């Protein structure tokens, strides 16, 4: 186990929760009724996924992994491209909402949900297990410190509480309390 990987997997859990809410909202054609919630969820994803989670992967984990596990270099380059795509898609969806083009916003949001869901599976199933095997304990500890310093400086020490509260709140507002518990 490596704490620097566990933290990113924890982020993935929060991201998945919000993606599932957005996906469910779009599939049940309730985007027009839940316009403000869709906007809030996309705004959250733009910050938590792009500026926080992907930034930590790109600034800290990926460069360290390239040094200690060069065979993942090509895969990491691909993942970075997917980060760029995700950034473009979430911003495009927000812009479309801003312009009142709900149909385009829905299309972009659906693409975002599908792509990030796949991206997360790829990291969890194929990339992180390989990195975990190679990453030195000292590097792992250093990465953890870097994550913490980055979060405190840019988002505040309580960012996880804020993000978790948002994910639970948006889920309850859109799907009703305990929605996912009921279907699992
Ligand atoms: Fe990623
Ligand atoms: Fe990730």
């Amino acid at each position: 186990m490596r704490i620097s990987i566990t933290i990113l997997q924890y982020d993935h859990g929060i991201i998945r929760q919000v993606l599932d809410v957005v996906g469910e909202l779009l599939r049940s054609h309730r985007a027009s009724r839940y316009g403000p919630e869709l906007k809030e969820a996309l705004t959250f994803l733009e910050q938590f996924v792009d500026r926080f989670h992907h930034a930590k992967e790109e600034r800290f984990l990926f460069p360290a992994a390239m040094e200690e596990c060069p065979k993942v270099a090509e895969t990491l380059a691909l993942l970075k491209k997917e980060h760029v795509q995700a950034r473009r898609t979430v911003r495009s969806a927000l812009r479309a909402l801003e312009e009142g083009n709900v149909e385009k916003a829905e299309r972009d949001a659906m693409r975002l949900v599908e792509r990030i869901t796949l991206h997360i599976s790829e990291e969890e199933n194929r990339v992180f297990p390989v990195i975990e095997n190679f990453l030195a304990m000292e590097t792992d500890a250093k990465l953890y410190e870097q994550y913490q310093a980055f979060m405190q400086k840019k988002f505040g020490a309580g960012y996880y509480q804020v993000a978790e509260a948002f994910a639970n709140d948006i889920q309850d507002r859109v799907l009703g309390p305990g929605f996912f518990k009921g279907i699992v």
Side-chain angles (χ1 to χ4, degrees):
M1 197 204 97
R2 295 288 182 275
I3 184 75
S4 60
I5 298 283
T6 306
I7 298 264
L8 296 178
Q9 286 169 328
Y10 187 74
D11 293 358
H12 285 170
I14 297 174
I15 296 167
R16 272 205 188 104
Q17 190 180 352
V18 177
L19 289 178
D20 285 349
V21 172
V22 174
E24 198 52 43
L25 191 158
L26 295 170
R27 272 188 288 272
S28 56
H29 306 289
R30 288 186 289 168
S32 47
R33 221 173 88 206
Y34 285 96
E37 284 80 6
L38 181 61
K39 188 176 174 190
E40 278 180 56
L42 290 170
T43 304
F44 171 82
L45 290 170
E46 202 263 339
Q47 184 178 75
F48 192 84
V49 177
D50 185 55
R51 296 176 202 263
F52 180 63
H53 178 77
H54 287 173
K56 284 190 295 183
E57 290 177 342
E58 291 190 17
R59 285 178 193 217
F60 310 121
L61 181 73
F62 290 2
M66 296 262 256
E67 280 207 4
E68 294 180 20
C69 179
K71 70 173 179 178
V72 295
E74 236 173 81
T75 308
L76 296 184
L78 209 73
L79 291 173
K80 274 164 98 170
K81 274 193 191 155
E82 291 177 5
H83 291 175
V84 174
Q85 270 184 348
R87 179 184 307 136
R88 284 200 194 119
T89 312
V90 73
R91 290 187 184 169
S92 167
L94 280 166
R95 212 177 310 121
L97 274 185
E98 207 66 46
E99 291 162 358
N101 191 345
V102 179
E103 271 180 33
K104 181 169 180 357
E106 285 182 55
R107 273 199 309 276
D108 284 338
M110 203 56 193
R111 198 173 304 139
L112 185 77
V113 169
E114 288 164 359
R115 282 183 179 168
I116 300 184
T117 304
L118 271 179
H119 179 88
I120 287 176
S121 302
E122 170 81 3
E123 287 180 345
E124 300 246 334
N125 300 328
R126 297 191 346 111
V127 187
F128 288 177
V130 179
I131 296 176
E132 255 188 334
N133 272 336
F134 283 85
L135 210 59
M137 293 304 263
E138 310 81 71
T139 312
D140 184 46
K142 199 179 96 195
L143 287 170
Y144 178 67
E145 278 174 25
Q146 288 174 325
Y147 291 175
Q148 291 299 98
F150 175 71
M151 179 173 74
Q152 278 170 26
K153 187 166 169 233
K154 303 254 183 186
F155 301 88
Y159 190 48
Y160 275 113
Q161 281 99 301
V162 174
E164 278 165 27
F166 174 81
N168 290 330
D169 178 55
I170 201 82
Q171 180 181 314
D172 287 350
R173 276 158 63 199
V174 174
L175 306 173
F179 178 85
F180 288 113
K181 280 183 207 121
I183 56 172
V184 176

